[in-house]
């Protein structure tokens, strides 16, 4: 998942997409590639958990909600700030990709940090990426940065699977009034400009926010509109990947 701007909901979308893909009988892993601001431990209720190593000296990913999970937070001693220079960050990313006992997997979802920097470029060079999903809000400020991310991934020949518009609208819980708090038609503008599909639009939802904060992903709860949307998103990704496999074989 990628957006050039922080705070658009990439991590929460990544986690719930991973869970939705798992529901389709896939073996799924999720990697938190945000070295400086890892959020996977909170989202998956794995705070204060640490990874161990296997008999073959690989890092054993933590497992929760049937997902294989890995984050730099599982390897460091505390929740304090990580103050590393670029080379150390690149070494950490390579370790998380190549020295973790991921196999067997059908999907590895990588939750990328904001920006178009070393982490994004290193991952694109270290492993063959099947595709990237652009997560944005309708706000113009987000669109400006997402455009940069789209251009970067096209430069390194990574397929862009489509756009997810988060915070697309808000419905008042008392009266049902709809309010476009972050603007509207942002994803449609990107779709028209870059000829990309809009995969899904996700409304602002207080239950979703609470579920993220409590480490209880919305996909693990009772069926809701958001669950249906993540299931739809997963089915689209699953279909795209199977279609690509058929084309290349």
């Amino acid at each position: 998942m990628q957006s050039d701007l922080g705070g658009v909901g990439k991590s929460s979308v990544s986690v719930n997409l991973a869970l939705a893909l798992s529901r389709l009988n896939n073996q799924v892993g999720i990697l938190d590639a945000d070295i400086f601001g890892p959020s996977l431990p909170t989202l998956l209720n794995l705070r204060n958990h640490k990874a161990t190593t296997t008999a073959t000296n690989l890092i054993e990913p933590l497992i929760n909600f049937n997902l294989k999970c890995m984050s730099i937070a599982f390897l460091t001693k505390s929740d304090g700030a990580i103050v590393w220079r670029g080379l150390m960050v690149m070494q950490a990313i390579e370790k998380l990709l190549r020295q973790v006992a991921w196999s067997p997997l059908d999907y590895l979802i990588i939750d990328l940090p904001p920006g178009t920097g070393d982490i994004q470029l290193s991952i694109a060079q270290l492993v063959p990426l099947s595709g990237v999903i652009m997560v944005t809000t309708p706000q113009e400020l987000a669109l400006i940065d997402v455009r940069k991310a789209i251009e970067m991934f096209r430069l390194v020949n990574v397929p862009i699977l489509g756009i997810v518009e988060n915070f697309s609208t808000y419905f008042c819980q008392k009266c049902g009034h709809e309010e476009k708090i972050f603007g509207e038609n942002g994803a449609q503008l990107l779709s028209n400009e870059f000829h990309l599909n809009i995969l899904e639009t996700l409304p602002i939802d207080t239950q979703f926010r609470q579920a993220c904060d409590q480490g209880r992903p919305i996909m693990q709860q009772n069926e809701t509109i958001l669950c249906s949307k993540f299931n739809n998103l997963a089915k689209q990704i699953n279909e795209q990947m199977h279609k690509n496999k058929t084309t290349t074989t």
Side-chain angles (χ1 to χ4, degrees), residues 174-235:
K174 291 185 178 180
C175 69
H177 172 72
E178 181 178 8
E179 189 74 31
K180 304 283 187 178
I181 296 175
F182 288 95
E184 55 186 320
N185 299 323
Q188 191 62 57
L189 289 172
L190 289 177
S191 174
N192 295 341
E193 184 176 347
F194 292 99
H195 307 290
L196 296 171
N197 292 327
I198 300 173
L199 300 172
E200 193 54 84
T201 59
L202 305 172
I204 298 171
D205 187 289
T206 55
Q207 288 184 335
F208 188 32
R209 192 272 304 164
Q210 291 168 353
C212 291
D213 289 346
Q214 295 168 3
R216 298 182 300 107
I218 201 78
M219 284 298 299
Q220 291 298 112
Q221 301 180 32
N222 294 330
E223 290 296 324
T224 64
I225 291 175
L226 277 173
C227 286
S228 298
K229 285 179 172 290
F230 279 114
N231 284 328
N232 178 56
L233 176 60
K235 287 175 183 176

